[in-house]
Amino acid sequence: MSDHLQKPVLFTTQKAFASRLTLATLTGRPVRISQIRPSSPSNLGVAPHEVSLLRLLEAVTNGSTIEVSMTGTIVNYRPGLITGSAPGSGAHGGVIRHEVPAACTRGVSYFLIPLCLLAPFSKAPMNVLFSGQGVITSATPAGDISVDSVRTAILPLYAKFGILKDIELRILRRSNPGTRGKGGAGEVQLVFGHQVRLPKTLHLLNPGRVKRIRGVAYCTGVPQSNNARMIEAARGILNPLGADIYVFSDVSSAPLISSNDKANPNGKIKIGLGFGLSLVAESSTGCLFSADVASPPSGGAPPEDIGQQCAYQLLEAVAAGGAVSLVAAPTILTLMSMSSEDVGRVQLGKDVLSADHIIDLGRDMKALGLNSWGFRETTIGQDNDIVVSIVGKGVGNVGRKIA
C-alpha cells in the first residue's frame, strides 16, 4: 500500500508523545494523536515542548506533514525521509539550529533521546545545535535526565549495535530549571555521524557485577563548594561498596539574558542557577546503570541531600536487576526492534519490564507494525529477571538504501 493511502494509526492522550512520534518516523507509518489535554483549563492541547519536538522532526526529515487542530488537541503526523543535516533540508552550514522556547519545562534530553534514535537511520550525519531560553541541561522535576547521563549512560549503548563512530555530545553552556521549572538558556550540540543500514542483533544476557562508578557534579551560578558537598555525601554511601569511584566537578557561570526592562534596555539577568549530580555505574560486562538528581527550581535543598539521594537512586537502579536500567530500556528495545530479522535477547529486571512506559512502548510498537516481544525466565543473574526476545523488523535505513 502506498504511503498516501495508508490509514493513520490512532493514539489518544499526550502520554508517550515523543516515543510515538519517534516510532512513527522510524517505521514510516502515519499517526493521529487525539484527546491531547482536552479538559485542561489553562494548558489546552499540545504543550510548548511538544510543539518544539514537532518542529525538530520537521527539520531533520524531508517530506513530513504535520497538522495540528485549532484547539491543539489533535495532531496528524505523516513522516518523511530522515535526512539529518543534509544540505537543503533545513541545515545551514551543515548544522541544524533548533531554538527551544522559554516556556519549555522539559530538559533538553527530551529532544536528545528521540534524536539519537533517528540519527543512525538518517541519510546524512546529524548535527543539531540546541539553543534558546528553554534549554535545560540538568535533570528536571518532570523526570528528564541530564545531558551528562545521556552522554555517559545512553550513547555508549549504541556501540552494542555496531554504532560507535563519530558520536559526540557537547555541553556548550550549562543551565538548571529557572522559575517555575521553565527556562535555562543553556546550549548543547549533538553530532551523530555514524549511519548504518541495519543495527546489529543484540544478545545482552549477563549483567555482571559493578566494577566502577563515575559521575559529574555540576553547579551553575552558585558557589563551587556545592559540588564538593554533593560528592562527599555521595561518597559516604558508595565508598563502602566499591573502591573505583571518581566524580568530576564542573563549575560554570549562569547564563545571561535580557531583562526586558524598559527603564534599562541593556540590562541583563541571570537564569538557570542550581546544581546537580549525575552518577553512572559500569559492570564487568559493560552494562550501565545511571542516577540523576538536581536541585529543585524552588530551591531549599542542601547539596548533601542531593548527593545522598543520587547515591541511593543509583543503588536502586542496580538492585532493580537486569542488564539494562529503566532509563536506557526504551532505547535498547527500540533499536532491537529496528535491527535485522533475527532474534535479539536482553535481560531486564521485573521492575523495569513492568514500568508503565515500557508496557506502553511494547503496545505502541505492535500498533505500528513492529514485532511483539517474547518472555522467559533467566538462568543467569537474579531470580526476578526476565529475558526479552525481539525479532527485528529489518526496516533499516531507507535513506541510505536509496542513496
Side-chain angles (χ1 to χ4, degrees), residues 215 284 314:
S284 55
L314 181 65

Side-chain angles (χ1 to χ4, degrees), residues 24-261:
T25 307
L26 290 173
T27 58
R29 296 286 301 275
V31 296
R32 175 185 174 91
I33 305 176
S34 58
Q35 300 181 26
I36 302 175
R37 302 181 186 86
S39 57
S40 176
S42 57
N43 298 311
L44 184 69
V46 290
H49 60 271
E50 293 164 347
V51 175
S52 184
L53 178 64
L54 289 171
R55 290 174 176 168
L56 178 62
L57 291 176
E58 186 180 22
V60 299
T61 59
N62 184 22
S64 297
T65 58
I66 302 170
E67 299 175 358
V68 182
S69 65
M70 291 292 294
T71 58
T73 57
I74 300 176
V75 173
N76 290 307
Y77 175 63
R78 189 173 295 273
L81 183 69
I82 307 172
T83 55
S85 301
S89 60
H92 300 281
V95 180
I96 296 176
R97 302 180 185 275
H98 182 71
E99 186 168 346
V100 182
C104 181
T105 58
R106 303 298 297 264
V108 73
S109 61
Y110 176 82
F111 308 97
L112 287 173
I113 293 176
L115 200 62
C116 290
L117 285 171
L118 299 178
F121 307 96
S122 173
K123 182 180 179 181
M126 194 86 72
N127 191 340
V128 182
L129 177 64
F130 293 89
S131 59
Q133 294 186 22
V135 176
I136 302 172
T137 63
S138 70
T140 64
D144 302 306
I145 62 176
S146 69
V147 179
D148 296 284
S149 292
V150 175
R151 179 175 54 84
T152 57
I154 301 294
L155 289 181
L157 297 176
Y158 283 79
K160 299 183 182 298
F161 295 90
I163 307 169
L164 66 165
K165 297 184 298 183
D166 301 327
I167 302 175
E168 187 176 0
L169 183 57
R170 306 166 184 161
I171 305 176
L172 306 179
R173 187 188 304 133
R174 287 191 178 273
S175 62
N176 282 61
T179 307
R180 296 186 298 276
K182 297 180 181 179
E187 195 168 322
V188 175
Q189 185 174 12
L190 172 67
V191 179
F192 207 115
H194 192 175
Q195 281 65 48
V196 295
R197 174 70 184 93
L198 284 172
K200 292 182 179 179
T201 302
L202 177 69
H203 297 281
L204 189 58
L205 301 175
N206 187 4
R209 292 183 176 273
V210 174
K211 66 176 182 178
R212 67 167 66 97
I213 297 175
R214 296 292 183 264
V216 177
Y218 53 88
C219 63
T220 306
V222 295
Q224 61 181 356
S225 60
N226 290 291
N227 283 356
R229 294 164 64 183
M230 283 189 296
I231 295 172
E232 184 179 1
R235 276 186 168 277
I237 297 170
L238 298 175
N239 277 352
L241 305 176
D244 190 0
I245 301 174
Y246 180 78
V247 183
F248 176 75
S249 177
D250 189 3
V251 181
S252 58
S253 57
L256 294 172
I257 63 170
S258 175
S259 62
N260 294 324
D261 187 0

